[in-house]
Amino acid sequence: MSLISENIARFKPLLHSITNIKAFSKSVRSSAMILLSITTLFLTACGGESNFSKDKIAYRHTYHPEWPKEVRNEVYGDKETFSTPRILFSAEIEWIGQTTLFSARMDGSDRRRIIPESAFSGKRMIDGRKPERSPDNRYIAMLMYGPEVGQTLELWDTKTQQFIFMSEGYGAIHFNWTNDSENVLFYINGKHYNYHVPTKKLRERPIINSNGLYLLPDGKTFLAYKKNEYWLHDFNGDVLEKVDLGINNHSTMQGLEVSPFGDYIYFKSGSTHYFINLSDPSKRITSRSISSYIFSDKKNKAITFWLIESRELMGNGQYYQDELLVEFDLNTQQTREMRLKESNIWGMGAIYNFYGVFNIKDE
């Protein structure tokens, strides 16, 4: 039976936009922290000792004893961790309150913190700018902000556990990696650059004007999207092909993504989600999903994430919100639903920033 059908009596308007989820989460966390502070002060004033602890605050997952209480860290090169495809996302641990990057298996299990919160001293991740992980999984290209230096482009080295500075400046970024994991390509200050990781050298590249730039899996072809069309360029920027999609409205091609196999692009236009087959752009698949999609680790599959009220109770006797993964088959246009594991672990609540799938294995 459908998980959505099972929960229809409780199916509140929880499938919020990303902005609403984020605003709601921060509001709840702020209220919770104020209440915690007041309670702690009251107990201290009465000569009592505060009973609050990390485990008390993390009550949301105590009803699943098999889930670990302590935060697990991702370890570079760990064979078990990297034995399966993983989802890259950002979240906060409730008792710390600092956004950082995490990864998990496709079912939400084995959640692991990638960057310790202490590494963000004096700077923070910029919301809405997608980090990109290198094909060898070692580096993550990120857009950061610090009050003293402003906006910076940096790499997180998961092996050395350090940030590597690449550049500073402003503008659309659109990180891309070459297949050998040695070069990061990005826009900054209206120009296009290549950062060579082994030598830490930055050089300017031929500009490809676009609203978003994607290096396809062949490592030689760029897809650049415009308002109503996309262009294909060779690695040096020369135009190979122009494709007009014929979708003419003011909100064309929002949130465009290219599948990891290079066979589809996805974007949203108005209230419709589009999947375009790059080998035949006249073939298009549409969906009216409430939430946006990312591509799956499997060919011809896309996934989206919903919130739904669970039948299980939290430690405080109230229902908690489950995270539901919905897989959309581009061939059959059928959906498959699955509850994500480790939902609400470590008090991280709903996850609202999914950045895509990495460590994809050959099918």
Side-chain angles (χ1 to χ4, degrees):
M1 183 182 293
S2 164
L3 295 181
I4 294 178
S5 299
E6 287 179 0
N7 290 274
I8 193 68
R10 295 193 192 92
F11 197 53
K12 300 177 180 180
L14 295 173
L15 310 183
H16 302 304
S17 67
I18 288 174
T19 303
N20 288 340
I21 292 174
K22 185 172 180 181
F24 175 77
S25 300
K26 289 193 172 179
S27 175
V28 170
R29 277 194 294 273
S30 298
S31 300
M33 292 309 295
I34 291 170
L35 178 59
L36 176 60
S37 300
I38 292 171
T39 307
T40 304
L41 287 171
F42 175 77
L43 289 170
T44 303
C46 293
E49 191 173 344
S50 172
N51 291 321
F52 287 97
S53 68
K54 179 173 65 177
D55 286 345
K56 290 287 185 182
I57 299 175
Y59 64 82
R60 287 190 181 92
H61 78 278
T62 56
Y63 47 84
H64 287 298
E66 70 274 19
W67 294 354
K69 295 283 186 66
E70 297 300 322
V71 178
R72 294 167 298 199
N73 292 316
E74 186 186 283
V75 178
Y76 171 76
D78 178 70
K79 290 184 179 180
E80 183 177 355
T81 301
F82 293 97
S83 63
T84 63
R86 297 182 71 84
I87 301 169
L88 180 67
F89 63 94
S90 64
E92 294 179 9
I93 297 171
E94 184 173 86
W95 56 83
I96 294 176
Q98 167 70 53
T99 300
T100 187
L101 289 179
F102 289 81
S103 72
R105 291 181 178 171
M106 297 300 296
D107 63 0
S109 66
D110 193 42
R111 297 190 183 190
R112 293 184 178 268
R113 175 174 53 193
I114 301 173
I115 307 177
E117 288 83 357
S118 58
F120 291 99
S121 178
K123 56 189 174 184
R124 60 176 173 80
M125 297 172 54
I126 295 182
D127 291 340
R129 296 302 176 92
K130 181 181 175 184
E132 286 289 345
R133 193 155 194 166
S134 61
D136 66 1
N137 296 324
R138 176 172 175 176
Y139 300 99
I140 303 174
M142 303 170 61
L143 188 62
M144 309 286 290
Y145 177 81
E148 295 184 0
V149 295
Q151 186 169 287
T152 59
L153 289 76
E154 304 190 33
L155 295 179
W156 175 253
D157 186 340
T158 63
K159 183 176 181 179
T160 65
Q161 294 286 287
Q162 293 179 328
F163 278 110
I164 300 171
F165 175 84
M166 293 189 293
S167 179
E168 61 181 61
Y170 292 86
I173 305 303
H174 305 298
F175 290 119
N176 284 281
W177 283 93
T178 55
N179 293 338
D180 58 10
S181 297
E182 291 191 352
N183 302 278
V184 194
L185 313 174
F186 53 82
Y187 292 104
I188 199 74
N189 297 330
K191 297 180 179 180
H192 200 214
Y193 288 96
N194 182 112
Y195 180 84
H196 188 240
V197 178
T199 61
K200 296 181 170 57
K201 299 292 185 183
L202 184 68
R203 66 177 179 84
E204 188 175 348
R205 285 182 42 80
I207 189 72
I208 299 176
N209 295 311
S210 71
N211 295 326
L213 190 68
Y214 297 85
L215 183 60
L216 298 182
D218 65 9
K220 301 181 293 185
T221 310
F222 285 103
L223 183 146
Y225 79 87
K226 318 288 182 175
K227 183 180 179 183
N228 300 301
E229 57 189 2
Y230 67 84
W231 295 9
L232 298 178
H233 298 254
D234 66 19
F235 197 77
N236 294 318
D238 293 332
V239 177
L240 301 174
E241 185 179 2
K242 299 179 181 180
V243 179
D244 188 339
L245 294 172
I247 303 172
N248 298 299
N249 63 48
H250 68 281
S251 60
T252 296
M253 299 173 75
Q254 294 177 329
L256 188 142
E257 294 288 343
V258 178
S259 83
F261 304 98
D263 49 356
Y264 282 93
I265 59 172
Y266 157 77
F267 59 89
K268 183 179 179 183
S269 181
S271 60
T272 303
H273 302 263
Y274 290 88
F275 296 89
I276 306 294
N277 189 324
L278 292 180
S279 63
D280 185 355
S282 65
K283 294 181 179 178
R284 56 191 63 185
I285 300 161
T286 61
S287 168
R288 290 280 180 170
S289 169
I290 298 173
S291 303
S292 296
Y293 289 94
I294 61 173
F295 282 102
S296 173
D297 60 306
K298 298 180 178 63
K299 230 177 177 185
N300 302 311
K301 300 286 177 64
I303 53 178
T304 187
F305 301 90
W306 294 355
L307 295 180
I308 191 167
E309 194 170 85
S310 171
R311 290 186 180 276
E312 297 182 76
L313 298 176
M314 296 190 290
N316 64 355
Q318 297 181 8
Y319 291 105
Y320 75 101
Q321 293 177 5
D322 259 333
E323 293 171 283
L324 192 69
L325 181 148
V326 181
E327 181 182 75
F328 181 55
D329 190 311
L330 300 181
N331 289 330
T332 65
Q333 299 184 40
Q334 299 298 308
T335 58
R336 182 176 68 91
E337 301 158 3
M338 176 182 69
R339 278 195 179 99
L340 287 183
K341 296 181 179 179
E342 299 185 10
S343 182
N344 296 287
I345 192 172
W346 309 319
M348 68 169 49
I351 300 169
Y352 47 82
N353 277 333
F354 287 91
Y355 297 119
V357 180
F358 67 96
N359 197 45
I360 296 175
K361 307 299 181 181
D362 293 333
E363 293 190 316

